[in-house]
Amino acid sequence: MVGRSGLYALLLANAVVVTVFFVQAGFASNTLIVLGRLAGLYGALLMAFQLLLVARLPWFDRRIGMDRLTSWHRWTGFSVLWLLLAHAVFIVFGYAQSSSLDPVDQLVDLAETVEGVLRAIAALAIIIVVGAVSARYARRRLAYETWHFIHLYTYVAVVLAFTHQVAAGTSFTSSSVARTYWYAVWGVALASVFLGRLVLPLWRNLRHQLRVTAVVPENDDVVSVYITGRDLDRLPARAGQFFLWRFLTRDRWWQANPFSLSAAPDGRTLRLTAKRAGDGSAALRHLKVGTRVFAEGPYGAFTTLHRTRPDALLIAGGVGVTPIRALLEELHGHAVVIYRVATDQDAVLYDELRELALAKGAELHLVTGPAVPDRLAPRELARLVPDITGRDVYLCGPPPMMNAVLGSLRELGVPRTQTHFERFSLAG
């Protein structure tokens, strides 16, 4: 809640500052131009805020979670698109109204006579393309790597938009205070991306020198990979978090996949456990001992940092057991673990869970069977965990199962502040 409230407060405070600078710069005589300039300023502010959301700064990530930050980034991106479209339309039609030119001729005239307008047109074109490929229909049909490559052009649009604002922005050019403010906004946003996406991962990997030490098949579809390195006791990883893993082989060095830690970090070894679901996860089985690893992270707010109650309920579905197993190892207080699978053979890491439950005095329930009837419906959950409303609930599993369980928790009256989950959508 602290991280979320901090981001909301930061955005609101900056929106107020932008509005004050806009009013101080004075209004144009044409209402459309006034609306266009205001839409452009808010669009620029949201574009900078959008960079902050994907900067992967540890303080925000640990408190909010990358899944929520990424979701906010997505919707902020569409807001930027509509605001900048409104900016362009209102400005062009406003000036056309004053000059008696038709909108197309007015746009050409602005591009030829006003410095920075041509760059703004190019930036808007890029944002429209990125918005189009990020729409749900297109996103589902594009490979993650293709979408991500196109998405990188957003940084080009940011630079073009900023130079347009420097050259033609009324609020920017009318006051040295406003100019300093906007330089600070863009500087902080770009520096955050540079620090979180480049400097911090490079520094951590140079420091820790990660390598594969063992590859252990758990069953025909699931494999665990053990990784070690230098000074792992100084890596700020916690049970429940995940990394973006790159295994530096000739055919896979360019591909990053998000996998959770399946054991609590002990300062000596990291372990991930993954189910074969695509080329990236299938290739893990063939990794050789000694393979260099480049890991970005740790990421995620699915940790004990957000506990509100002394006791916990951990609910896992399928291979979603990996962060749940790590959390059980770290948790203090009484815990109930519910592991939902189709058959006993699908219960990966079950022996480890059972040993941990015995050692920590936790209850472990293996729930098997088909998806229908729902074996984690409200009545079933209440029977397994009568004091469920007095516990923190950690949930990880396939999206349909998670949606069903979240509905059951709401029906049982479990407060949202006691419900902890993350949706790992970065794999594409």
Side-chain angles (χ1 to χ4, degrees), residues 216-226 262 271-276 285 316-326 328 337-354 356 364-368:
V216 179
E218 303 290 351
N219 63 26
D220 291 342
D221 293 321
V222 179
V223 65
S224 290
V225 180
Y226 292 77
S262 59
R271 186 182 76 172
L272 65 95
T273 302
K275 182 177 181 179
R276 181 169 55 193
R285 189 174 295 265
V319 80
V321 72
T322 55
I324 294 295
R325 184 255 180 243
L328 178 60
V337 183
I338 300 175
Y339 190 7
R340 178 72 170 94
V341 288
T343 67
D344 290 349
Q345 290 71 32
D346 297 318
V348 181
L349 305 181
Y350 181 70
D351 290 341
E352 292 185 21
L353 274 179
R354 185 171 53 193
L356 273 173
L364 175 60
H365 302 280
L366 182 63
V367 179
T368 61

Side-chain angles (χ1 to χ4, degrees), residues 253-264:
W253 64 268
W254 49 271
Q255 189 174 55
N257 290 103
F259 296 121
S260 297
L261 296 174
S262 59

